[in-house]
Amino acid sequence: MLNTIVLKINPENPENNILAIASFMLKLGEVIVFPTDTVYGLGANPFNEMSVLKVYEIKGREFNKPLPILVSNINTAMKLGVFDERALKLARKFWPGSLTIVVRRKMGIASLALGGQDKIALRMPNHKVALKLAESLGGAIVGTSANVSGLKAAKTANEAKEMLGSRVKLILDAGPSPKKVPSTIVDVTVKPFKIIRLGPVNIEEIEKVIGE
């Protein structure tokens, strides 16, 4: 089996040749590890079902648990999910940033990444590498944490490599993760909103924005 390729990439000014290699592999249906503004992520094309299956297999994740999708801009997010006033307020306040917003998926949007649910978890990361990769796939990329389910998310490329071994073909190394913890996940399909996972954005900040 081929060894995993680890390529250094500048988080502030990503090298175009490195991005091109990563994008090419994603378009071929491969799964890669890439840096984000929270922790390292497992990246795949969310509408390539074989790629999504690989992500579940690599993580050992149950298929009924949806995968978060990272987007390159709010317009792409609004094509994938239903953004009411509350969701829009949160996106405008915290994007790009460390808040994942769970909304109803748009009719016609189907992907194994959604875990068979009518909801979709979306986030616009504050990281140039992640944004560029999402853009290269039409605006969206699977962005689940790079780890085996049940273990802590990888905060460095080395941690990802040690945990995942040769199960991924490419790891982009941009140094240690800035936040070192996964994003906050808030579900706004219910009232009052529901915190699925607490991360860098706290409950009080969310309450202040949407008045709940």
Side-chain angles (χ1 to χ4, degrees):
M1 185 175 288
L2 293 174
N3 290 330
T4 302
I5 300 168
V6 179
L7 297 177
K8 296 276 189 181
I9 191 165
N10 188 326
E12 296 302 323
N13 188 23
E15 296 85 350
N16 288 332
N17 60 326
I18 304 298
L19 287 171
I21 292 169
S23 176
F24 179 71
M25 294 187 76
L26 287 165
K27 289 173 181 175
L28 282 179
E30 296 294 345
V31 176
I32 72 168
V33 171
F34 68 105
T36 79
D37 52 331
T38 55
V39 293
Y40 274 76
L42 273 178
N45 182 341
F47 299 106
N48 180 326
E49 305 293 54
M50 292 307 296
S51 298
V52 174
L53 277 173
K54 287 180 187 177
V55 174
Y56 278 105
E57 289 168 356
I58 288 168
K59 286 180 70 77
R61 187 181 178 95
E62 296 174 11
F63 290 109
N64 63 343
K65 291 185 176 180
L67 301 170
I69 307 298
L70 303 185
V71 295
S72 57
N73 54 67
I74 291 182
N75 287 339
T76 297
M78 292 176 69
K79 290 177 183 177
L80 299 174
V82 179
F83 277 69
D84 60 13
E85 184 181 358
R86 297 152 78 231
L88 274 175
K89 283 181 177 179
L90 290 172
R92 287 169 178 157
K93 173 66 176 178
F94 296 108
W95 286 3
S98 307
L99 184 69
T100 298
I101 305 171
V102 178
V103 296
R104 298 290 177 192
R105 68 174 175 87
K106 283 280 182 74
M107 293 299 293
I109 297 297
S111 170
L112 289 177
L114 304 186
Q117 298 189 18
D118 65 349
K119 301 178 183 182
I120 186 168
L122 298 163
R123 183 168 82 88
M124 181 180 172
N126 188 18
H127 198 288
K128 291 180 181 178
V129 175
L131 291 171
K132 289 284 188 182
L133 291 176
E135 189 179 332
S136 76
L137 291 176
I141 184 172
V142 169
T144 185
S145 56
N147 65 321
V148 174
S149 287
L151 300 182
K152 288 186 177 181
K155 299 181 289 294
T156 66
N158 282 340
E159 285 183 7
K161 187 176 182 182
E162 288 173 7
M163 203 178 320
L164 302 174
S166 58
R167 282 178 277 183
V168 293
K169 300 289 180 62
L170 175 66
I171 295 175
L172 297 183
D173 183 354
S177 299
K179 298 287 186 184
K180 296 182 172 56
V181 291
S183 66
T184 296
I185 303 177
V186 58
D187 185 344
V188 293
T189 66
V190 293
K191 287 188 177 182
F193 67 83
K194 181 180 179 181
I195 297 292
I196 306 298
R197 181 178 69 201
L198 197 56
V201 179
N202 63 47
I203 297 172
E204 290 74 19
E205 290 178 284
I206 296 169
E207 289 175 335
K208 186 175 180 181
V209 171
I210 59 178
E212 289 179 16

